[in-house]
Every structure is written in structure tokens, then in C-alpha cells.
């Protein structure tokens, strides 16, 4: 059973609808015990990074999720802001610590003349060295909405990335052991996005 | 690179799509859910549903439509029309929409943009602006209620303010171009795109493949919306993508 974590950061219904396609019993939950009964977790989220971490602490979900991922080694998928939370820190509205499951920090996109946020469909380039490269081998277009992105990450963790503007490389999809993270919205990226979700739900 | 988006728009009245539709093989031509699925298959980058239901009783019909659409298509979709309060926004988002477009209600109550953006994120709030060129040609005024009322507000000022309040995208309809099939209003779109960083969706006037190319080649928009062109089956989204790709414009292939 997949548990979609509800910690007060935005609209979870799209994620729920897409996950339900592959797991009829999936639940949306803000309850620690209920989440712990799940086989896999999805951490969605839109909004600002500091609010995201604050809500995770306030809802008392931070420590259980940490234990779930680091000790129990159960699979987790972070989407958009949920992906950013997997990294060490973010510079959005100051400096805030994340879970630190993945090496790297989240920084603001900056480039002269660049339109921010990065909204829309962008193509994924593949890190062919990654064992999960097959997930995106056809270089699909995926749907992004964000202004911050992961930086200084371990290239070995990154499955795919997109080019934006003249110089920015936006990492789109990560996997390290039981940790999966996607900056784009697989639940809103058509059949190509669903394929990634399906893999996480059935195979991860 | 970021691709240009092609967005079919469906006008829905009492739960049915209005304006003619003649897709072959659709079970019920006026069914918004069937039509949404067809556009999804064609490769639409996004969809917009505009609820033009006049009476309050039928509002919940739209919520039902949204629920069904949300469980069958996996691309972003926006719902607009008749949304006046935070409660309305909540209801539609809960039903599964990704974005809400605000038009007249935002003009009357700009705080709605701010509250909505704060509660659901800027990416959820699309500011829809209908503009018409002033007679002296000095700029554009915001018109509401389907163009019947000229608010006297300068469109560029209003859009700037809307973005400051938290609108994450602008859906810009030129009332001068709308229905003409003579092409998008490049001048208006460009003027708006020059003053905001958020994406601009051009709407109104599209009558051919060439018009899609023009609005992108002139860097006047990030996305283009069309209704009747798609509904009447004159073009498919796939046709538009293919044509734009041949012209060297970045579009999604799926």
C-alpha cells in the first residue's frame, strides 16, 4: 500500500489520482501510524521550502519519515518540493535544513533574461551510467513548475536532467538506494510520467 | 529546452461542452470527459475548462466533471469561470484540478489572487485577462463579463499588480482578435510578456497553423490556447506539434 503524505503543502489530489491507477488501496495520510503501515511513501508538495520543513516538524512527521527512510530502508518518492526536501538544505527565503537523504543543496535559478518560474514541458536527458536510466531512455518531455533546483548533488544519484536557459542544468530525476525524487510532476507528465510512477509503485 | 505549450480550451455549460464538436469515434460529442480524453491522446500539453454555466444550481455539475476528468487524464488542467471565493477554489482543486483561472472576480476582489496563491501556491492561480485596445490606441483596457463591461483599468497595470499579488501565469485574451481567426494579437501579448516573468498564454484569434508559429517565433507567448479550431476537428494538437517542430520551434513529442 502506498501512502501519500499530507502535511499541508498543497494539492495532493492529482498525485492521488495517478497513484490510484496502480494501487487501488493507496491512501492520503497525515497520521504517523497510518503512514508507518504503508509499504512505500510519496512525499508531494508545492509552496515554499521553509513552510514545507516547518509543517513536517509541526505534524510530527519529520522524525518518523527519517527513520522510515534511513533505518527501515523503505522506498520513498519525493515530488517537486517533496524532492527538494530530500536534500541537505535550501536557500529559499533564508537557509533551511532538509532531510539530507541526498547530497546537495537547493538554490534559486539565476540567469539574465531567464523566465522564472520554470513552468512547462522540458525534455529529460539521460545519465546512461545510472542503473535506472531505462526509466527515461526515450528522453521524454516532463512537466515542471519550480523556481529552485538542486545543485552540487552527487552526479551518480541523478538519472535525468533538463536544460533551461543558456546555462542552467535542472536535475529532474534522482534515485539512490530506496530514495527516489523527481523535480518534475510525474503525475502530470502524461504516459511517460505514469511509467515512472508505475515503476516506483510496482518495482522499487 | 522548455517547450511551447498547446492548450485546447473547452467551454462547459451545465456539464456539457458547448460549441460544435465532430470528432470521429467519440461516444458522446458533448461530453467534456470524452473530449478531454481525446485531447490527452492527441498530445495536448494542458487543458483549460471554462465553466459558462449561468445559474448557481448547476455549479456542482462542474465539480463532477472535474472529478471525472482528473481521474482519466494525466496532464495539467485549469478550471475557470464563475469562481468567486476561496471556497470555490478549494472545491475545484479538491475535485482534482491543478490550476484555477480567475477573471472578473479578481478584478472585483484582487485579494482573491493573494489568498488563493498563499493557500495553494502561485502555480495554482492563473490570472485570466480579457483586454481590448483603447480607441486612442494608447494601450489596452481590461474588459469583463465576456467583453460587455469596460472596467477602465489599464491591462498592463492590472497584470503587473496581479503578478505581484501572486498570479503564476497569465491567460491573455485579446477581445480585438477573438473570433476573427486572423491570428493572435501579437502586439498585446508581447507588451504583456515584456513586463512579467511569469508565462503568458495567448488566446483569441487563432485560425491556422501559421498563427501558432507566429506567436512563438515573435516571442509573444509561452503557450497558445485555441478552442473552435480543435473542437471542429480542423486541426489536432498532433498536427500543431508536428508543424511547429518542422518550423524549428521546441514542442513536446510524446
Amino acid at each position: 500500500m502506498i501512502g501519500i503524505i499530507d502535511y499541508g503543502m498543497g494539492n495532493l489530489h492529482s498525485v492521488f489520482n495517478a497513484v490510484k491507477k496502480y494501487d487501488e488501496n493507496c491512501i492520503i495520510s497525515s497520521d504517523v501510524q497510518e503512514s508507518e503501515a504503508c509499504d512505500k511513501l510519496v512525499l508531494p508538495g508545492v509552496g515554499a521550502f521553509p513552510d514545507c520543513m516547518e509543517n513536517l516538524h509541526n505534524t510530527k512527521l519529520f522524525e518518523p519519515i527519517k527513520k522510515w527512510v534511513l533505518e527501515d530502508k523503505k522506498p520513498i518518492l519525493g515530488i517537486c518540493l517533496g524532492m527538494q526536501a530530500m536534500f541537505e538544505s535550501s536557500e529559499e527565503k533564508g537557509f533551511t535544513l532538509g532531510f539530507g537523504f541526498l547530497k546537495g543543496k537547493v538554490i534559486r535559478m539565476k540567469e539574465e533574461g531567464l523566465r522564472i518560474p520554470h513552468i512547462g514541458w522540458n525534455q529529460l536527458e539521460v545519465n546512461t551510467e545510472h542503473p535506472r536510466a531505462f526509466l527515461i531512455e526515450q528522453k521524454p518531455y516532463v512537466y515542471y513548475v519550480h523556481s529552485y533546483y538542486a545543485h552540487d548533488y552527487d552526479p551518480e544519484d541523478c538519472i535525468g536532467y533538463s536544460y533551461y536557459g543558456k546555462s542552467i542544468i535542472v536535475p529532474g530525476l534522482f534515485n539512490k538506494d530506496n530514495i527516489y525524487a523527481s523535480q518534475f510532476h510525474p503525475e502530470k507528465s502524461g504516459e511517460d510520467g505514469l511509467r515512472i510512477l508505475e515503476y516506483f509503485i510496482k518495482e522499487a | 529546452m522548455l517547450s511551447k505549450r498547446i492548450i485546447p480550451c473547452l467551454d462547459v455549460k451545465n456539464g456539457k461542452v458547448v460549441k460544435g464538436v465532430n470528432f470521429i469515434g467519440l461516444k458522446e460529442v458533448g461530453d467534456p470527459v470524452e473530449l478531454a480524453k481525446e485531447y490527452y491522446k492527441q498530445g495536448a500539453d494542458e487543458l483549460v475548462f471554462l465553466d459558462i454555466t449561468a445559474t448557481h444550481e448547476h455549479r456542482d455539475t462542474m465539480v463532477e466533471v472535474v472529478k471525472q476528468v482528473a481521474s482519466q487524464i494525466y496532464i495539467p488542467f485549469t478550471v475557470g469561470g464563475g469562481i468567486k471565493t476561496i471556497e470555490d477554489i478549494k472545491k475545484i482543486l479538491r475535485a482534482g484540478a491543478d490550476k484555477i483561472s480567475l477573471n472578473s472576480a479578481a478584478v472585483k476582489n484582487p485579494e482573491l489572487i493573494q489568498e488563493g496563491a498563499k493557500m495553494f501556491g502561485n502555480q495554482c492561480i492563473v490570472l485570466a485577462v480579457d483586454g481590448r485596445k483603447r480607441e486612442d490606441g494608447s494601450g489596452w483596457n481590461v474588459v469583463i463579463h465576456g467583453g460587455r463591461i469596460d472596467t477602465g483599468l489599464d491591462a498592463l497595470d492590472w497584470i503587473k499588480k496581479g503578478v505581484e499579488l501572486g498570479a503564476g501565469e497569465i491567460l491573455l485574451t485579446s477581445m480585438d482578435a477573438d473570433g476573427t481567426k486572423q491570428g493572435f494579437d501579437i502586439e498585446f501579448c508581447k507588451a504583456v510578456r515584456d513586463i512579467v516573468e511569469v508565462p503568458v498564454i495567448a488566446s483569441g484569434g487563432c485560425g491556422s497553423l501559421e498563427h501558432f508559429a507566429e506567436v512563438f517565433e515573435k516571442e509573444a507567448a509561452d503557450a497558445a490556447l485555441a478552442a473552435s479550431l480543435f473542437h471542429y476537428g480542423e486541426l489536432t494538437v498532433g498536427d500543431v506539434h508536428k508543424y511547429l517542430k518542422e518550423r524549428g520551434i521546441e514542442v513536446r513529442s510524446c
Side-chain angles (χ1 to χ4, degrees):
Chain A
M1 183 173 68
I2 308 285
I4 298 162
I5 304 169
D6 179 7
Y7 58 110
M9 294 305 285
N11 188 14
L12 310 176
H13 297 271
S14 304
V15 177
F16 180 73
N17 276 321
V19 172
K20 210 172 64 183
K21 202 173 150 88
Y22 304 105
D23 174 20
E24 279 199 351
N25 302 317
C26 73
I27 54 165
I28 294 182
S29 177
S30 54
D31 179 82
V32 176
Q33 280 171 344
E34 211 172 50
S35 315
E36 279 172 348
C38 295
D39 309 311
K40 295 172 190 179
L41 292 183
V42 176
L43 185 70
V46 292
F49 194 95
D51 303 336
C52 163
M53 295 319 293
E54 197 187 315
N55 283 11
L56 282 167
H57 285 291
N58 289 345
T59 50
K60 306 255 183 292
L61 285 163
F62 183 85
E63 289 300 332
I65 293 173
K66 210 168 157 182
K67 179 177 167 290
W68 161 285
V69 172
L70 297 180
E71 290 176 33
D72 305 343
K73 302 270 181 210
K74 287 192 188 174
I76 189 166
L77 168 65
I79 298 174
C80 198
L81 187 60
M83 175 212 87
Q84 297 183 357
M86 313 252 138
F87 287 87
E88 292 162 328
S89 67
S90 168
E91 64 171 26
E92 184 171 5
K93 296 184 182 170
F95 176 87
T96 310
L97 288 174
F99 281 111
F101 299 148
L102 295 171
K103 180 190 171 283
K105 51 193 176 189
V106 176
I107 60 167
R108 172 118 181 136
M109 290 181 190
K110 267 180 231 130
E111 189 183 284
E112 172 115 8
L114 190 71
R115 302 185 80 81
I116 293 167
H118 174 223
I119 301 185
W121 296 81
N122 204 331
Q123 191 166 23
L124 279 173
E125 302 294 332
V126 192
N127 169 16
T128 51
E129 310 277 296
H130 197 286
R132 307 272 175 283
F134 63 86
L135 281 175
I136 53 167
E137 64 186 352
Q138 77 284 24
K139 295 189 174 188
Y141 281 81
V142 289
Y143 189 79
Y144 288 93
V145 184
H146 63 122
S147 303
Y148 291 77
Y149 69 118
H151 179 71
D152 211 10
Y153 50 87
D154 186 340
E156 282 186 9
D157 297 340
C158 182
I159 309 176
Y161 51 90
S162 300
Y163 294 110
Y164 188 45
K166 291 183 196 76
S167 64
I168 294 183
I169 294 174
V170 177
L173 188 62
F174 290 92
N175 165 236
K176 182 191 178 191
D177 306 323
N178 54 324
I179 299 150
Y180 291 76
S182 122
Q183 176 64 70
F184 57 85
H185 289 269
E187 78 282 11
K188 284 288 149 187
S189 297
E191 300 298 313
D192 294 316
L194 290 180
R195 209 165 296 129
I196 295 166
L197 273 182
E198 186 183 12
Y199 177 83
F200 175 75
I201 292 164
K202 293 184 178 167
E203 315 280 341
Chain B
M1 294 305 296
L2 192 65
S3 69
K4 298 295 188 183
R5 288 173 278 159
I6 303 301
I7 309 178
C9 173
L10 296 93
D11 288 350
V12 181
K13 191 175 181 181
N14 304 339
K16 295 274 173 225
V17 177
V18 294
K19 289 186 181 171
V21 263
N22 62 359
F23 283 124
I24 304 153
L26 282 190
K27 279 180 224 139
E28 195 186 345
V29 284
D31 182 355
V33 183
E34 287 295 315
L35 204 49
K37 275 159 71 180
E38 171 63 25
Y39 286 136
Y40 177 66
K41 269 190 246 155
Q42 287 183 11
D45 297 310
E46 215 165 310
L47 292 177
V48 170
F49 292 85
L50 206 54
D51 185 9
I52 54 167
T53 305
T55 55
H56 205 74
E57 306 86 82
H58 285 105
R59 286 262 171 247
D60 288 339
T61 322
M62 194 61 197
V63 175
E64 267 318 301
V65 169
V66 172
K67 267 189 196 157
Q68 288 183 42
V69 168
S71 64
Q72 301 194 46
I73 68 159
Y74 303 96
I75 50 171
F77 73 96
T78 304
V79 175
I83 295 162
K84 294 188 180 71
T85 63
I86 281 289
E87 268 316 303
D88 294 340
I89 296 179
K90 221 184 254 176
K91 229 188 226 177
I92 296 285
L93 290 179
R94 278 226 180 105
D98 301 286
K99 310 177 193 182
I100 292 294
S101 96
L102 299 172
N103 194 328
S104 310
V107 173
K108 288 173 196 157
N109 175 20
E111 277 176 17
L112 194 56
I113 301 174
Q114 200 168 19
E115 277 178 62
K118 211 172 159 196
M119 203 171 278
F120 305 105
N122 300 29
Q123 85 296 332
C124 264
I125 307 298
V126 178
L127 179 61
V129 176
D130 299 344
R132 185 181 285 132
K133 202 167 202 178
R134 288 192 285 269
E135 272 176 26
D136 63 5
S138 62
W140 298 265
N141 277 3
V142 177
V143 296
I144 54 173
H145 294 294
R148 290 193 298 273
I149 299 172
D150 185 333
T151 62
L153 269 175
D154 179 75
L156 300 186
D157 287 347
W158 168 234
I159 287 165
K160 228 187 268 173
K161 186 177 170 195
V163 171
E164 277 164 22
L165 287 170
E169 282 178 87
I170 304 297
L171 169 52
L172 189 71
T173 303
S174 161
M175 298 310 282
D176 301 302
D178 200 29
T180 64
K181 294 208 159 197
Q182 296 298 305
F184 292 104
D185 190 335
I186 304 291
E187 189 194 359
F188 190 25
C189 292
K190 229 175 143 46
V192 172
R193 199 163 181 261
D194 282 346
I195 58 157
V196 292
E197 273 201 342
V198 300
V200 174
I201 304 162
S203 156
C206 188
S208 69
L209 288 169
E210 172 63 34
H211 294 152
F212 285 105
E214 185 190 19
V215 78
F216 295 137
E217 279 170 355
K218 294 193 171 154
E219 294 187 13
D222 302 276
L225 180 139
S228 50
L229 206 56
F230 294 127
H231 300 330
Y232 292 109
E234 290 167 46
L235 288 175
T236 66
V237 178
D239 294 335
V240 180
H241 276 158
K242 188 167 166 274
Y243 176 80
L244 293 177
K245 202 170 189 173
E246 282 164 13
R247 293 272 297 241
I249 296 164
E250 182 90 9
V251 287
R252 166 188 175 225
S253 48
C254 57

